[in-house]
Amino acid sequence: MSGDALITVDGLVKTFGEGDAATHVLKGLDLEIPPGDMAALLGPSGSGKSTLLSILGTLMQPSGGHYTMLGRDLISASAGELTDFRNHHIGFVFQFHHLLPDFNALENVIFPAAVASGRETRTARDRGRELLRRVGLEDRIEYRASELSGGQKQRVAIARALMNQPELVLADEPTGNLDRESADRVMELLVEINKEEGTAFLISTHDERIADNCRRQIRMVDGQVV
Ligand SMILES: Nc1ncnc2c1ncn2[C@@H]1O[C@H](COP(=O)(O)OP(=O)(O)OP(=O)(O)O)[C@@H](O)[C@H]1O
Ligand SMILES: [Mg+2]
């Protein structure tokens, strides 16, 4: 275990169900992610990529193993501590953007900051606007999410993921729902943010072209990293 790692995972186990109905998804998985990493998470459908991302995002409890991020033991942390940790250090981008359709782009982006601080501040609105400019949507700030294209929604989701300046962004098939051109734009944006801001990305994908754009490929087979 390296003391400098952003994330250290040791012998991670996840089993759904019990007895004959048990599905063993993660079977003693080891993984280390350094700060500022740009890694693709690959593996066949059902290999446990989304399960792993949910656990790393502290949205799901593992059945066993060790998990530390930024030196914090996230297995023994309480639910309240996890919520707080997640809000400050981890951003999420999903295949389906999960934007609030009746909120405009800016409101969607500043939502995590409003949740973390309990109110919507001027500083948050300024950063939200800056992030929307960053993802090329300065002319869509006031548009409701329902009025944006798929690629634009996903760029709003990326801006939202970056709102609280997380050290790590977990992306589960962020381009899975996009045409080739939009997928390329989204990926270019992630690479750029990684280079310029040093945010670490772990991106699950079935697209080898996306994986080629990452610095590192992590392959999951049979509940382990190979
Ligand atoms: N809540 C659950 N209850 C029972 N089984 C589950 C649950 N969530 C996931 N699984 C099982 O865990 C396995 C891994 O699922 P997961 O969604 O992590 O795969 P994946 O690698 O993300 O696949 P895909 O590439 O299709 O998204 C699957 O066999 C799935 O059926
Ligand atoms: Mg998945």
Side-chain angles (χ1 to χ4, degrees), residues 106 110-111 113-129 163-164:
L106 181 62
I110 65 179
F111 191 70
V115 168
S117 74
R119 67 206 161 95
E120 199 186 295
T121 63
R122 161 63 79 81
T123 321
R125 296 185 77 83
D126 288 347
R127 174 154 172 85
R129 276 201 197 85
M163 184 64 200
N164 291 346

Side-chain angles (χ1 to χ4, degrees), residues 16-17 23 25 43-52 60 172-173 204 206:
F16 292 106
T23 310
V25 179
S45 182
S47 59
K49 301 180 296 298
S50 296
T51 303
L52 175 62
M60 185 190 281
D172 198 356
E173 301 193 44
S204 93
H206 288 285

Side-chain angles (χ1 to χ4, degrees), residues 4-226:
D4 301 333
L6 175 59
I7 272 188
T8 306
V9 167
D10 257 317
L12 200 68
V13 173
K14 182 66 184 181
T15 304
F16 292 106
E18 284 173 22
D20 288 348
T23 310
H24 303 282
V25 179
L26 305 180
K27 305 176 187 174
L29 181 144
D30 301 325
L31 178 66
E32 203 167 276
I33 297 195
D37 202 6
M38 185 77 193
L41 182 61
L42 298 156
S45 182
S47 59
K49 301 180 296 298
S50 296
T51 303
L52 175 62
L53 291 178
S54 297
I55 293 172
L56 297 181
T58 73
L59 300 169
M60 185 190 281
Q61 280 280 7
S63 313
H66 302 280
Y67 172 28
T68 60
M69 178 170 168
L70 293 165
R72 285 276 298 277
D73 175 2
L74 296 180
I75 300 287
S76 60
S78 71
E81 287 167 340
L82 287 180
T83 303
D84 190 56
F85 185 89
R86 194 187 310 126
N87 282 337
H88 287 96
H89 302 294
I90 306 176
F92 296 91
V93 181
F94 301 98
Q95 178 174 2
F96 301 99
H97 50 82
H98 295 300
L99 299 183
L100 302 164
D102 294 332
F103 282 45
N104 71 29
L106 181 62
E107 290 162 344
N108 269 287
V109 170
I110 65 179
F111 191 70
V115 168
S117 74
R119 67 206 161 95
E120 199 186 295
T121 63
R122 161 63 79 81
T123 321
R125 296 185 77 83
D126 288 347
R127 174 154 172 85
R129 276 201 197 85
E130 176 54 34
L131 282 166
L132 283 167
R133 267 193 288 278
R134 185 76 187 71
V135 301
L137 291 176
E138 56 277 7
D139 57 346
R140 291 289 184 277
I141 286 174
E142 307 278 341
Y143 278 55
R144 286 195 292 169
S146 57
E147 296 165 342
L148 299 172
S149 74
Q152 290 169 341
K153 282 184 194 136
Q154 205 54 315
R155 283 186 277 149
V156 173
I158 291 166
R160 179 186 54 186
L162 296 169
M163 184 64 200
N164 291 346
Q165 296 177 276
E167 285 85 349
L168 174 69
V169 170
L170 299 168
D172 198 356
E173 301 193 44
T175 62
N177 204 28
L178 301 178
D179 63 60
R180 203 180 160 105
E181 199 178 310
S182 310
D184 286 348
R185 272 209 75 180
V186 162
M187 194 55 208
E188 273 167 28
L189 181 64
L190 297 184
V191 169
E192 214 175 271
I193 290 164
N194 169 259
K195 281 200 189 117
E196 288 171 14
E197 309 202 13
T199 314
F201 285 88
L202 179 59
I203 304 168
S204 93
T205 183
H206 288 285
D207 185 344
E208 294 286 341
R209 282 168 50 250
I210 300 290
D212 289 344
N213 277 299
C214 291
R215 205 170 302 134
R216 197 155 78 93
Q217 288 77 38
I218 297 166
R219 287 181 196 273
M220 286 184 67
V221 174
D222 198 25
Q224 288 179 330
V225 167
V226 294

